[in-house]
Amino acid sequence: MHKIGILGGSFDPIHCGHIAIATSALEECGLEKVLLMPTKNQPFKVGKHVADEMDRLNMVKKAAEENDGLLGSSCEIDYGGISYTYNTLKELEKTYKDGKFYFILGTDAFISLETWYMGKELLSSTPFILAVRPGYKESERKVAVEKYRQKYNADITVLNNPILYISSTEIRERVEKGESISELVPKGVEEYIVEHGLYKKEN
Ligand code: NAP
């Protein structure tokens, strides 16, 4: 069985915080690789404006090139429609017949897991790797971990990931203001943003 992690997200753009949780999961959980998978349409964010999916995918691929064990995945973009994680995992099982999948996610996504499409089935069947940020919704997170373990016998690994206070929103705002983002995103991602004029204020 190949142990494969999946880190899904809008990745608008992908940043060093995402890379830090993917690489921590890779090392701490002994994963063979982590797929960085941009969503086509995140179910809770349908209608929200995001950068073009090919730009988000290309940036993810640039970031993956700089980090061993990480790979960009177009699975949800190719699958189309709304990106329900349950369906994504079913699709991946067809491609990686000998794969065991671990879904990596942060606190906000984790807390809402029970309300996802087929969330209860996901919690009973998929191992989750939870990235944390000390002080951030800590008590809510602990309650959710306990509840999911008791109700669904959920397999949850809590990561000891480095904390990077970076958000995609901050990066987009900095680009719009002409400020540097070189400390916040991998080099190839910064170059891609500049080259394609992403996140600039429209005149
Ligand atoms: P996102 O906002 O783009 O973020 C991607 C992940 O990175 C999140 O888990 C987020 O944690 C984490 N993250 C961002 N910045 C971080 C930092 N500085 N340090 C540590 N962690 C950081 O993604 P999303 O919209 O929450 O979606 C995550 C995945 O869940 C996607 O694959 C999406 O399709 C899936 N999802 C599925 C359903 C469904 O099937 N019904 C519903 C919702 C989401 P936080 O969660 O803490 O922000």
Side-chain angles (χ1 to χ4, degrees):
M1 273 283 178
H2 298 283
K3 293 172 77 174
I4 302 169
I6 301 155
L7 176 62
S10 308
F11 298 136
D12 190 22
I14 189 158
H15 57 63
C16 297
H18 298 128
I19 301 299
I21 62 175
T23 51
S24 294
L26 195 67
E27 288 160 18
E28 281 183 46
C29 303
L31 306 178
E32 196 170 292
K33 57 186 156 198
V34 172
L35 305 182
L36 303 170
M37 188 178 293
T39 53
K40 182 160 182 89
N41 291 298
Q42 205 266 50
F44 297 155
K45 297 180 181 169
V46 174
K48 185 181 170 221
H49 177 76
V50 282
D52 182 85
E53 62 196 29
M54 291 320 288
D55 284 327
R56 293 183 291 115
L57 177 63
N58 288 336
M59 288 190 280
V60 158
K61 288 183 174 171
K62 295 272 176 200
E65 279 168 18
E66 294 175 37
N67 292 276
D68 288 344
L70 307 191
L71 274 180
S73 169
S74 60
C75 178
E76 289 193 338
I77 290 173
D78 296 342
Y79 188 64
I82 308 225
S83 309
Y84 293 113
T85 300
Y86 183 83
N87 294 343
T88 304
L89 289 168
K90 294 279 167 233
E91 278 304 298
L92 286 171
E93 280 164 13
K94 292 182 201 160
T95 314
Y96 297 92
K97 293 208 164 46
D98 203 14
K100 175 162 180 168
F101 298 103
Y102 295 75
F103 202 79
I104 306 161
L105 76 187
T107 304
D108 278 331
F110 180 77
I111 288 169
S112 71
L113 243 173
E114 216 178 9
T115 66
W116 292 14
Y117 169 67
M118 302 291 270
K120 296 175 175 71
E121 288 75 5
L122 274 174
L123 277 158
S124 316
S125 59
T126 305
F128 287 92
I129 299 177
L130 172 59
V132 299
R133 309 178 221 180
Y136 184 70
K137 298 192 179 172
E138 219 161 69
S139 54
E140 273 182 76
R141 184 191 77 230
K142 285 181 178 158
V143 168
V145 169
E146 251 337 281
K147 181 171 79 172
Y148 295 161
R149 281 184 176 147
Q150 279 184 12
K151 264 177 100 171
Y152 307 106
N153 198 20
D155 177 350
I156 303 159
T157 303
V158 180
L159 275 185
N160 193 16
N161 55 289
I163 309 307
L164 298 176
Y165 295 95
I166 305 174
S167 71
S168 297
T169 307
E170 177 195 359
I171 292 163
R172 294 194 300 272
E173 286 171 359
R174 289 184 77 95
V175 174
E176 195 174 321
K177 287 191 249 165
E179 293 171 2
S180 170
I181 55 164
S182 47
E183 305 290 309
L184 309 177
V185 296
K187 195 165 175 30
V189 174
E190 182 184 13
E191 287 168 358
Y192 189 96
I193 291 172
V194 172
E195 203 179 310
H196 292 82
L198 300 185
Y199 310 124
K200 287 249 185 85
K201 204 172 187 168
E202 284 168 25
N203 295 313

